[in-house]
Amino acid sequence: MTTLKRRDFLTRAAAAGGAVFASNPVWAQQGDTPPTPKRGWASRPGKVEILFKAPGLSGNGMQCTEEGIWTIDVAGSRTDTPGRCKVYLSSYAGKLLRELSPEGTGPSGVGVDEEHRSIWIGSTYSREIIRSDAKTGETIEKHFTPGAGVIYKRDSDTPPRPDTYGASVRPRAVSGGGGGRRGAGGEAPAPGQNAGQTTADGLGVGRGGAVAGNPGPPAPGTGAHGQQVQNGKLWIAVPPARMIYRMNPKTWTVEHMFPTVGYRPHGIGIETPDAKYLWEADTNMGAFFKRDMATGEVVDAIVLPDGSPFPHGASVWKGYIYWVDDVGGGLAPICRVKI
């Protein structure tokens, strides 16, 4: 029997593998992911218009359509009615047109399909993307969120801007829930917009009760924020991954992705079905970034003045970026800035 030394085996395997990969190069390749956007893009200030208060107790996602403005409310989704949330449709003048109670735990985004038949919900703290009927709120399908996990920080991150608007309108002590990221009791978080939501056990959102059949405590983490449909494709912003993904809803595969500008991406907006750019809202930076949807390049940026409502849910409609600041306590303002 011939003994083949490990080094000889690896050499022969590499040679054979090289021949295989030479004839099937795709086996040894991975599709390109655009790099983190280069710094130095142009930016300009934006003039803020505050339109009206979002219905419900909070506002953490938004989508503008011909029917009106859709917003999503995190209130009660982890306490009074676990796993359920509130979605509202309002006119552009602030009149409530529709109210739904779909599934969603601590949701941070809502998108509407182009036929207005279903809504896509970023169920942040169950780390799911949920598609619901736009008339009844009933669940149509659920999917995992690519890139879900814990939002991490880097040494090079821009420090979060102070939450001066929220501090100016929010009472120092708010009884009851509805605070969303402001805290389980509605109290104000530390300066900035990355305090998250506390829980009674002190572990924070994403560490809720035990998971049946899964030993040990559940892992912490969150899922998607902004959602937007274009030509049947679903775009989502996922803060833990620092990525914006384009999903094929039929196969639930990632078709394309590029890195976000910061670590607190929230709403995303695409103005038209043939648009080649989307606007990414970053909550901590208090800014909107115009991104090339093919390369991820930043081609424009609008920076909100200090003291402005922070962007959470965001959408683009007829030359404006609309957004809502999840102040909590029924104080969430719907705002807009001209592009």
Side-chain angles (χ1 to χ4, degrees), residues 184-214:
E187 69 277 6
Q193 289 271 325
N194 204 33
Q197 184 180 9
T198 58
T199 55
D201 60 10
L203 295 176
V205 170
R207 296 293 298 272
V211 176
N214 182 20

Side-chain angles (χ1 to χ4, degrees), residues 25-304:
V26 70
W27 290 1
Q29 301 292 324
Q30 171 62 35
D32 293 334
T33 298
T36 300
K38 296 179 180 179
R39 301 292 173 178
W41 52 77
S43 65
R44 51 194 169 93
K47 182 179 179 181
V48 177
E49 296 180 63
I50 298 179
L51 305 177
F52 56 90
K53 295 293 190 295
L57 294 177
S58 68
N60 213 14
M62 172 186 283
Q63 172 74 72
C64 294
T65 69
E66 292 89 350
E67 291 184 304
I69 302 175
W70 291 82
T71 54
I72 196 163
D73 189 344
V74 304
S77 67
R78 288 183 52 81
T79 52
D80 301 331
T81 53
R84 311 296 294 192
C85 63
K86 289 288 188 180
V87 171
Y88 303 98
L89 174 64
S90 303
S91 73
Y92 286 89
K95 180 182 178 181
L96 181 61
L97 303 175
R98 192 180 307 168
E99 177 181 333
L100 304 174
S101 297
E103 287 190 75
T105 303
S108 297
V110 60
V112 184
D113 69 10
E114 289 151 316
E115 291 78 29
H116 299 203
R117 294 177 181 173
S118 59
I119 55 178
W120 290 93
I121 294 171
S123 182
T124 307
Y125 294 112
S126 67
R127 286 163 271 181
E128 297 171 302
I129 305 293
I130 302 173
R131 182 178 169 223
S132 303
D133 187 285
K135 300 293 185 183
T136 66
E138 292 303 311
T139 299
I140 299 172
E141 56 186 299
K142 294 183 182 182
H143 302 277
F144 71 91
T145 299
V150 177
I151 300 174
Y152 62 91
K153 295 184 179 180
R154 297 172 60 185
D155 291 339
S156 58
D157 284 337
T158 301
R161 297 172 65 175
D163 183 12
T164 51
Y165 175 81
S168 71
V169 300
R170 191 186 319 109
R172 289 190 175 275
V174 180
S175 62
R181 56 165 175 80
R182 307 288 177 166
E187 69 277 6
Q193 289 271 325
N194 204 33
Q197 184 180 9
T198 58
T199 55
D201 60 10
L203 295 176
V205 170
R207 296 293 298 272
V211 176
N214 182 20
T222 59
H225 280 41
Q227 338 261 308
Q228 176 79 56
V229 176
Q230 185 195 43
N231 295 324
K233 307 296 184 179
L234 179 65
W235 291 81
I236 58 176
V238 182
R242 295 176 179 243
M243 282 283 179
I244 293 175
Y245 298 95
R246 187 184 73 217
M247 307 295 298
N248 182 334
K250 295 181 179 179
T251 59
W252 204 248
T253 53
V254 175
E255 294 184 333
H256 180 54
M257 61 185 179
F258 53 81
T260 60
V261 173
Y263 66 96
R264 189 70 172 169
H266 216 291
I268 52 177
I270 303 172
E271 188 163 18
T272 61
D274 59 349
K276 297 181 180 179
Y277 301 94
L278 65 75
W279 285 88
E280 167 195 344
D282 190 281
T283 306
N284 274 350
M285 299 175 79
F288 302 97
F289 301 94
K290 188 177 183 180
R291 311 294 302 274
D292 185 302
M293 295 164 73
T295 67
E297 179 185 3
V298 178
V299 299
D300 192 10
I302 297 176
V303 180
L304 300 177

